Amino acid sequence: MDYHLQKMEEIFPQMINPLSNDVCMVGIYGFGGIGKTTIAKVLYNRFAAQFMITSFLANVREDSKSRGLLPLQKQLLNDILPRRKNFISNVDEGIRMIKDRLCFKKVLLVLDDVDDLNQLEALAGDHNWFGLGSRIIVTTRDKHLLEVHEMDALFEAKKLDHKQATELFSWNAFKQNHPKEDYEKLSNSVVHYVNGLPLGLKVLGCFLYGKTISQWESELHKMEREPNQKIQHVLKRSYDELDCTQKQIFLDVACFFNGEDKDFVTRILDACNFFAKSGIRVLSDKCLISIRDNNIWMHDLLRHLGRDIVRQEFPEDPGKWSRLCYPDVISHVLTRKMGTEAFKGILFDLSIPKWIHITTESFVMMKNLRLLKIILDRESTSMRDDYKVKLSKDFEFPSYELRYLYWHGYPLEYLPSSFYAEDLVELDMCYSSL
């Protein structure tokens, strides 16, 4: 974690400078498993000796939900002055006592995993609660929470680069700082899959420790379809805290729109009545997506999470999933005419040469289909004979809900006469026979 500490020193030296008499509140944010708590612990352990009073309140979110805020206030007061009698009967009394006891003392306080403004207001409400030179460090998954509380500096915990990720994974998988001989390629595959997430590197490294090459290969194949549940459990907490509409946006991005232009995605999702401007901002604040060059990006493991949430809707019956994005599953569903009203979106990547026959019956029950995207490689279709898409001449789209239709290489000369386009906001039929 020295990399993170170095970055923090560059971003806000006032946090590191022990001679500064300013009271400084620092927020560390990022999605689950990215290393926020580890960074806070590194800072706490490195600088604790320079403060009169120190306190590290771990798992604030979990403790406040299970026990309430009052026990956390009592824990803080006990850390401050363990020999004093700290009788408080409610949160307001706790606030007054914390302010009275700390306002002239140089304090290092860490509030780990905060998820509600009430937690901050009860434990570290304002700068004047603390004596000169105090440092308050808050970790959270919600950047907006830190902004509302007007923190002095914000630091985003980011994923590790390939070298750092390989080293962390190797310590857990091989008990050394580099992969064992014959495991280099497999290790690179795991590191690529985890995409710099420290939690994933530790969990998978420990899981694969001592296993054979064939067992590693088997587990890697499994993870592509069924992600590690220990990692998923940590990541899913942020998803569970979204409201219903925000969850729909998250799943649509995970299944269809990763890497797409934000304005383009907003236009389509607004047409689905998802209030996309607000929802995309919330997902960004909670670090479930990032916006770079006006494109929406989702970490690979979060994308796997979204697709696994869809799969878990009906694990044994993909005909009832809300979204389809695995090519082999889509082929299975379409050729067996398993489509249902549950389908809201389909992303069918046919860039790998394949033959498939799609009929009206394949789509007849998909009455709630909002998004249909069929991708193929134009060069492969013009240069190779082993790729074929066949549609019946009477092919129809039964859905009245289509907002987005993207079908490169559409093989018919006409759209169906019954095609309903009143609510369509995006139509892309390049390289087709229209």
Side-chain angles (χ1 to χ4, degrees), residues 117 120-121 142-151 154:
L117 189 61
L120 290 176
E121 292 175 341
D142 190 343
K143 179 184 178 183
H144 185 62
L145 181 65
L146 302 174
E147 294 171 339
V148 172
H149 200 60
E150 298 184 326
M151 309 295 285
L154 302 182

Side-chain angles (χ1 to χ4, degrees), residues 405-416:
L405 176 58
Y406 175 112
W407 193 328
H408 283 190
Y410 179 73
L412 300 182
E413 296 182 358
Y414 304 96
L415 285 170

Side-chain angles (χ1 to χ4, degrees), residues 88-278:
I88 53 175
S89 59
N90 59 62
V91 172
D92 290 335
E93 284 183 10
I95 289 174
R96 288 194 295 271
M97 188 172 288
I98 291 170
K99 292 166 63 177
D100 291 343
R101 299 280 172 87
L102 292 183
C103 61
F104 296 110
K105 293 181 172 58
K106 183 179 178 181
V107 177
L108 174 61
L109 171 62
V110 175
L111 303 178
D112 177 49
D113 195 19
V114 171
D115 76 337
D116 191 282
L117 189 61
N118 290 330
Q119 297 158 4
L120 290 176
E121 292 175 341
L123 298 167
D126 204 344
H127 291 65
N128 60 18
W129 287 26
F130 307 96
L132 297 179
S134 293
R135 301 289 183 266
I136 292 82
I137 303 170
V138 178
T139 74
T140 181
R141 300 188 184 201
D142 190 343
K143 179 184 178 183
H144 185 62
L145 181 65
L146 302 174
E147 294 171 339
V148 172
H149 200 60
E150 298 184 326
M151 309 295 285
D152 298 298
L154 302 182
F155 173 73
E156 181 181 4
K158 297 183 178 180
K159 65 183 184 180
L160 304 179
D161 64 28
H162 183 79
K163 179 180 178 182
Q164 295 161 340
T166 301
E167 184 173 332
L168 178 59
F169 175 73
S170 297
W171 278 118
N172 288 276
F174 307 110
K175 309 305 178 185
Q176 60 188 37
N177 65 356
H178 58 86
K180 284 184 178 179
E181 188 177 357
D182 298 331
Y183 282 83
E184 291 92 343
K185 186 175 180 180
L186 286 169
S187 295
N188 282 333
S189 296
V190 176
V191 170
H192 177 75
Y193 171 83
V194 174
N195 193 15
L197 184 71
L199 171 71
L201 295 164
K202 293 177 183 177
V203 168
L204 294 181
C206 292
F207 180 76
L208 294 169
Y209 173 76
K211 296 188 176 180
T212 65
I213 288 178
S214 62
Q215 290 167 341
W216 276 52
E217 291 172 340
S218 177
E219 185 61 28
L220 281 170
H221 287 307
K222 177 186 175 185
M223 286 190 305
E224 287 298 328
R225 184 57 57 84
E226 188 177 336
N228 180 278
Q229 291 305 300
K230 189 172 182 180
I231 300 172
Q232 297 294 84
H233 176 74
V234 174
L235 297 177
K236 191 172 182 289
R237 202 195 87 199
S238 294
Y239 170 83
D240 290 337
E241 293 172 353
L242 300 174
D243 66 29
C244 181
T245 303
Q246 293 158 3
K247 287 178 179 178
Q248 297 302 312
I249 294 175
F250 176 86
L251 296 178
D252 276 354
V253 173
C255 293
F256 308 124
F257 295 126
N258 187 48
E260 298 280 6
D261 178 79
K262 177 170 73 73
D263 298 331
F264 162 76
V265 176
T266 298
R267 186 170 69 252
I268 293 173
L269 296 181
D270 271 341
C272 299
N273 300 314
F274 284 171
F275 314 102
K277 292 184 180 67
S278 172

Side-chain angles (χ1 to χ4, degrees), residues 10-65:
E10 295 172 2
I11 294 170
F12 33 85
Q14 70 271 30
M15 169 65 214
I16 308 301
N17 182 7
L19 301 178
S20 171
N21 281 328
D22 295 331
V23 176
C24 183
M25 292 189 175
V26 174
I28 303 172
Y29 67 94
F31 64 92
I34 200 68
K36 304 180 295 297
T37 300
T38 302
I39 296 170
K41 287 179 179 177
V42 169
L43 286 170
Y44 183 82
N45 293 331
R46 179 167 294 198
F47 299 110
Q50 301 171 7
F51 293 84
M52 297 170 57
I53 294 172
T54 63
S55 179
F56 193 113
L57 296 184
N59 303 315
V60 170
R61 175 198 65 88
E62 186 176 330
D63 284 350
S64 66
K65 282 181 170 55

Side-chain angles (χ1 to χ4, degrees), residues 352-374:
I352 300 174
K354 188 176 182 68
W355 186 95
I356 184 169
H357 182 198
I358 303 175
T359 68
T360 297
E361 286 75 19
S362 301
F363 283 87
V364 68
M365 295 302 295
M366 301 184 195
K367 300 183 184 301
N368 293 311
L369 197 65
R370 297 185 283 107
L371 313 169
L372 177 60
K373 185 171 184 177
I374 297 182

Side-chain angles (χ1 to χ4, degrees), residues 395 397 405 410 412-419 427 429 434:
F395 177 75
F397 293 103
L405 176 58
Y410 179 73
L412 300 182
E413 296 182 358
Y414 304 96
L415 285 170
S417 58
S418 61
F419 180 66
L427 178 68
M429 308 288 278
L434 289 173

